[in-house]
Amino acid sequence: MTGNTLAGRILLPLLVLLTSGCLIVPHRAVRLHGVIVPQTATTTIQPGASTREDVLHCLGRPERVEENGRYFIYQWTMSYATLVVAASAGYSGSMVAVPVSTETHFLCLEFAPDGRLLRSERLHDASLFKSLHKTVDPWMNKSTPHPPGVSP
Amino acid sequence: MALMPLPVSAWSGSIVAVGKFGAWFWIGGALLLVGCASRSYAPVFGPRPAAETAQRLPFLRDGITTRAECAARLGLAQAEFEEGRIWVYAFTATANGGARQRGSVDGALIGQPSDFTDTAHPYDLVLTFGADGRLTRHTLVEKPGRDAP
């Protein structure tokens, strides 16, 4: 084994390994995707009283519309920590920051055929492999009693 | 407390001796700049006041503006609900108090004269029409953080 080979195959990777590291930096909640719908924005939305029109004029267009407007889903993702990975070799180095500890939030709304709001609920998914359907489908399939005066 | 005079002040590339009037120079300058105070506000999710909507999109008037006029000015809606009764457009504020339409499928028509876009203030414009095809309700909903165009 020549000197160059020894340096290239063993010493350099060893040096990179010894001088690299990672760190998880917790921080305040930071929005990654979507538009956050705060609690205060939904205080005027009441099942049985509000309509699809009211919701649109209050919250704007939803991220997803299911079953021809029966369900509205507003969705946003927050990050609570960042993984920083740094590595150096000789005089050069690089650093990568990746958001970790993310949580996807959903505001789910169901409307009756006459356009009145049947129910609304806030859901969240903090799992590693996030899926809209894994979180929202059970809610959509769940039957709930309808508010007075609202036909299902 | 006595104001410390500044010996010189730079003005339009030349050095002007200010001497004992230095403090008054800065006070006068500050008073003149009061008129340049920013009118910007922190973005807040939710409907904007009717007065602001009227300023940004003055052609929208409930009971008067027709569906055809909206379509002519704004193009196709980006989303429709309840069989076309409710239209939604995406807008972004502009620096002079107007609004610029975003991502229109028929060529991004602009609701206001061209101006610098203020990407910090994205909106959804929600329009509801009555059976006679006239506007019955319109709202500019601010959506902070929506992706810029």
Side-chain angles (χ1 to χ4, degrees), chain B residues 25 46 60 100-101 123:
Chain B
F25 174 82
L60 294 173
R100 172 170 294 166
Q101 194 179 349
Y123 304 103

Side-chain angles (χ1 to χ4, degrees), chain A residues 31-32 34-38 41 51-54 56-63 65 69 72 74 114-115, chain B residues 45-47 78-79 81-82 85-86 88 90 124 126-128 136-139 141-147:
Chain A
R31 183 190 63 86
L32 278 183
V35 179
I36 302 167
V37 181
T51 63
R52 188 184 285 110
E53 178 187 337
D54 296 331
L56 285 166
H57 281 271
C58 185
L59 305 180
R61 181 184 180 184
E63 272 64 44
V65 178
F72 279 8
Y74 297 84
D114 65 357
Chain B
F45 186 102
Q78 277 141 334
F81 299 89
E82 300 190 353
R85 194 173 73 87
I86 304 169
V88 181
D124 277 354
V126 185
L127 308 175
T128 300
T136 59
R137 187 179 179 187
H138 68 282
T139 311
V141 182
E142 180 150 21
K143 305 196 79 170
R146 190 182 61 192
D147 296 333

Side-chain angles (χ1 to χ4, degrees), chain A residues 66-89:
Chain A
E66 301 284 342
E67 296 188 21
N68 199 27
R70 179 179 173 188
Y71 298 104
F72 279 8
I73 298 159
Y74 297 84
Q75 177 181 342
W76 63 99
T77 303
M78 307 293 289
S79 169
Y80 301 94
T82 298
L83 173 68
V84 180
V85 180
S88 66

Side-chain angles (χ1 to χ4, degrees), chain B residues 31-45:
Chain B
L31 287 173
L32 286 173
L33 289 173
V34 165
C36 302
S38 172
R39 290 179 301 162
S40 65
Y41 58 90
V44 177
F45 186 102

